[in-house]
Amino acid sequence: MVVVRLPGLLATQAGGRGRFEVEAQTVAEALRALPIADLIFDEAGELRPLVNVYVDGVDARSRGGLGATVDRDAEIRVVAAIAGGSGRV
Amino acid sequence: MGVLILAGTHKGLFLLKGDDSRRQFEIEGPYLPGWDVYHAVVDPRDGALYACANNYVYGGTVHRSDDLGRTWERSEGLGLPEESGLKLEKTWHLEPGHPSEPGTLWLGGAPGVLFESEDGGRSWEPNRALLEHPTRERWHPGAGGMCCHSIQIDPTDARTMYVGISAAGVFRSEDHGESWMPANAGTAADFLPDDPHPEVGQCVHKVLLHPARPERLWQQNHCGVYRSDERGASWERLDGNGLPSDFGFALALDPSDPDIAYVVPEEGAENRVTSDGRLGVYRTQDAGSSWELASDGLPERAWVAVLREGLAYDEQGVYLGTQSGSVFARMNGEWIEAARQLPPVLSVEVGAWS
């Protein structure tokens, strides 16, 4: 099972759960299986620009993007970009 | 039955529960921590709380609570259709529907969009007529984005509605949102020197309908304070005559007297702070012919800001929140500070709790 770990605010929105185990072949499948998928993807299905995704500690962008396959024991981490604090974001 | 003030802040939602005297308030929260609560409201039809909650990473959402904030449910499927070429940027204002339409709610958002829910906010459908309005190409975002921030429903006719969008102007529907007509005649767009009185494009900051005289609308605009006595078909400019500035955001009415309105003038568009170095709330009692300070109990030395959702009213009083984190309540002609040191207050609404 692929493990997905969420930051605090998303975990709160997921009913207090920060760790999920999901059946998934790709990074995107794993993320779309989450109950908070609407918070990390917009209505067009695109990853929101300030959401970062790491697979086994590596930025998903540098390992084939969200369509890349994941190992059955992979760990995916969702991380909010460091854009907080600005009144303009 | 006590008064319930909903203070939406930059760091979640606070509930201020007042006793019968409305001089003592118990503060609960923050609920929805981590979210910018642009607006929160109690649905008077069933007591449910709704919040427009935005997050710089996770986007714009709507949350509903049936137990006064203890638990929340997030709306599903909130977004714009792909063919529109637009994406939902933020949620701005929730308006419970007409009393004859239980379960119906309206949601305003950016970029200049309106949604309707028929299931108590669990799901939402975009209003196509506004989304595809033929004048949309002449709309422009203000400093806060192209926000649909005002939604008013005629209490005598559920089919008659108004929306205010910055900077698109006021639009009226007489068919429950099936079509929308610009309602901006007489309002200025001084920031468009080549066309200062356009059909659309005005930067309306807040629109309110008087509940007892629904043909009367009030408007605080980027360029003046206005009143319409004919459902927005024309507007009369009301600033001057006691107001220190024509610029501001907040607006409140008195449900028992259609001639009374409250505004909070700011220095101007380039210096958005309350006028004259004080927290000055101004009131008219003669439909805008003259204005006077109604600030007894408010700080006389202050440089603050009150946002467009920062002023609310009910039968008993007026309620105000500042970006400095204070909430004030005006009872019997005097303001008291109901809360201080909150995060920046983005919105204030009032309801009842028991």
Side-chain angles (χ1 to χ4, degrees), chain B residues 231-268:
Chain B
R231 303 181 188 277
S234 67
W235 294 86
E236 179 183 352
R237 192 162 182 165
L238 305 171
D239 41 286
N241 299 320
L243 283 182
S245 161
D246 61 1
F247 188 87
F249 288 89
L251 178 65
L253 305 180
D254 183 331
S256 65
D257 188 340
D259 288 342
I260 292 178
Y262 299 84
V263 294
V264 186
E266 297 188 352
E267 289 284 342

Side-chain angles (χ1 to χ4, degrees), chain A residues 7 9-10 13 35-36 38-40 42-44 46 48 50-51 80-81 83-84 88-89, chain B residues 32-35 55-61 63 74-75 78-80 86-88 90 143:
Chain A
L9 190 147
L10 288 182
Q13 289 297 309
I36 48 73
D38 61 313
L39 297 178
I40 54 180
D42 64 23
E43 62 263 66
E46 296 176 1
R48 295 186 187 276
L50 295 178
V51 174
R88 292 292 177 188
V89 296
Chain B
L32 303 171
W35 294 89
N55 182 276
Y56 68 96
V57 177
Y58 307 119
T61 64
H63 300 248
R74 191 176 68 257
S75 297
L78 184 58
L80 297 172
L86 301 173
K87 291 183 179 179
L88 179 65
K90 288 178 179 174

Side-chain angles (χ1 to χ4, degrees), chain A residues 9 12-13, chain B residues 6-15 28-41 49-55 61-65 69-75 94:
Chain A
L9 190 147
T12 300
Q13 289 297 309
Chain B
L6 298 88
T9 80
H10 194 37
K11 309 287 180 183
L13 174 66
F14 293 82
L15 302 182
E28 294 184 359
Y31 299 113
L32 303 171
W35 294 89
D36 289 310
V37 177
Y38 277 37
H39 185 229
V41 66
L49 301 188
Y50 294 90
C52 290
N54 295 282
N55 182 276
T61 64
V62 171
H63 300 248
R64 170 190 168 120
S65 174
R70 284 188 288 278
T71 61
W72 294 85
E73 179 183 359
R74 191 176 68 257
S75 297
L94 278 157

